Amino acid sequence: MEIIFYHPTFDTPYWIAQLSKQLPGANVREWKKGDNEHADYALVWHPPVEMLQGRDLKAVFALGAGVDSILSKLKANPEMLPESIPLFRLEDTGMGLQMQEYAVSQVLHWFRRFDDYQAQQQKSEWQPLADYHREDFTIGIMGAGVLGGKVAESLLAWGFPVRCWSRSRKTLPGVQSFAGTEELGDFLRETRVLINLLPNTAETVGIINLDLLNQLQDNSYLLNLARGVHVVEDDLLQALNDNKLKGAMLDVFSREPLPQESPLWQHPRVVMTPHIAAVTRPQEAIAYIARTITGLERGDHVSGQVDRQRGY
C-alpha cells in the first residue's frame, strides 16, 4: 500500500513514522513536487493541484475537520479529484473535547458576568452585580454535526437550556432541534448565546448578518468557532455598537491573520483567539486515519466521507 503525505506546517517525519507504525506494510512517503509515482491514498492539507491530479486513488484524507479549502480548489480545478474518489475529513480526533473546553469556559465567563466585572475593574469600581439565571440563558448552536453535538452535550451538563439549528433535524438527547430556513427565526428568538459551528458552504457564507443578529434576544452573545466567512464583520460591529449584542468571542475571521486596521482588535466587548479553538491532535488523527484505511481495505462501512454537494 502506497500513501503520500503533504502538509505545509506539520512535523512530516513524525506523521510518516507514526502512520507507518500503525499501518504495517504500508509505504508512507512525503509528497514533493515532481512525484508522480503510484499512490493508493493521499493525506493532505491545502494540496497543490498536481499532487492529486491524474491519480487513481482509493481515497483522500483532509488533515482537518474542514474541507472547504479542497472543495474551493476543486471548483477551479475539477480535474484534480474525480467524483469517484472518496474524500474524508477528520470527524473528531480530539477536536470535540477542545471545542467543549472552549465553549464551556466562555459561556460560564459570560454567565457569571466576568465580562462586566472586568469592565468595572477598568473603572476601579467595586460593585456586586445581580446573578443571571440559567433558565434565561438559552444556548443556541448553529450546526449540529459531530462537534456541535459534543458542545451541546457539555453545556447540558451545566444545566443550560440548549437548542440547535441545522439543515436537517437532529435527535440529540436533551436538545431542542430546529431545521431549515423556515425554523431559523424560532430558533433565534429564545437564544441568549449563539454558538456557530456550521460547515462552510455556499449557503452559510455571510449567514450571521445584521438581520440574523437582530432576531436574537437583547444583550445576547456570539461565539464563532466555525469559519470567519460566516460572519459579516461590519454587521457584527453594528450589532455590538447598537447594544443588541453584549459581547462576542471570535476564534476565526474572514481574513487571517486579522488585518491590523480592523476595528475588532480594539472593541471593548470583543475577545479573540488566533484560530486555536480546536487543532488537529496528531495521535488521535493518525489513529483515526489508520482505522479508516484498514476498514476501507477490508471493505467495511466507514464514517467521515464528505458529501461534496453539501460541502461537509
Side-chain angles (χ1 to χ4, degrees), residues 108 111-112 132-139 155 157-161:
L108 291 177
F111 179 67
R112 291 300 307 270
Y132 288 146
H133 301 286
R134 278 175 171 76
E135 60 267 26
D136 302 322
F137 220 76
T138 297
I139 315 297
L155 290 164
W158 285 91
F160 292 105

Side-chain angles (χ1 to χ4, degrees), residues 68 99 196-201 204-209 222-236 249-259 264 273-275:
D68 37 295
M99 287 292 191
N196 178 37
L197 282 165
L198 287 169
N200 182 11
T201 68
T204 61
V205 171
I207 191 171
I208 301 177
N209 51 35
L222 171 67
L223 179 56
N224 189 15
L225 301 176
R227 286 291 185 266
V229 295
H230 290 141
V231 177
V232 180
E233 292 177 0
D234 287 345
D235 287 6
L236 169 61
M249 179 81 174
L250 310 173
D251 183 57
V252 288
F253 302 88
S254 55
R255 288 178 58 195
E256 296 181 356
L258 182 67
L264 290 170
T273 49
H275 205 144

Side-chain angles (χ1 to χ4, degrees), residues 149-206:
K150 292 279 189 182
V151 169
E153 176 187 337
S154 65
L155 290 164
L156 283 170
W158 285 91
F160 292 105
V162 180
R163 52 180 48 197
C164 68
W165 178 83
S166 52
R167 176 174 177 166
S168 57
R169 198 173 311 282
K170 299 294 190 296
T171 303
L172 300 173
V175 178
Q176 188 177 8
S177 178
F178 297 80
T181 54
E182 64 279 3
E183 295 184 6
L184 181 56
D186 293 335
F187 163 79
L188 294 167
R189 264 189 291 278
E190 300 299 322
T191 292
R192 182 69 183 277
V193 178
L194 182 65
I195 300 178
N196 178 37
L197 282 165
L198 287 169
N200 182 11
T201 68
E203 292 76 23
T204 61
V205 171

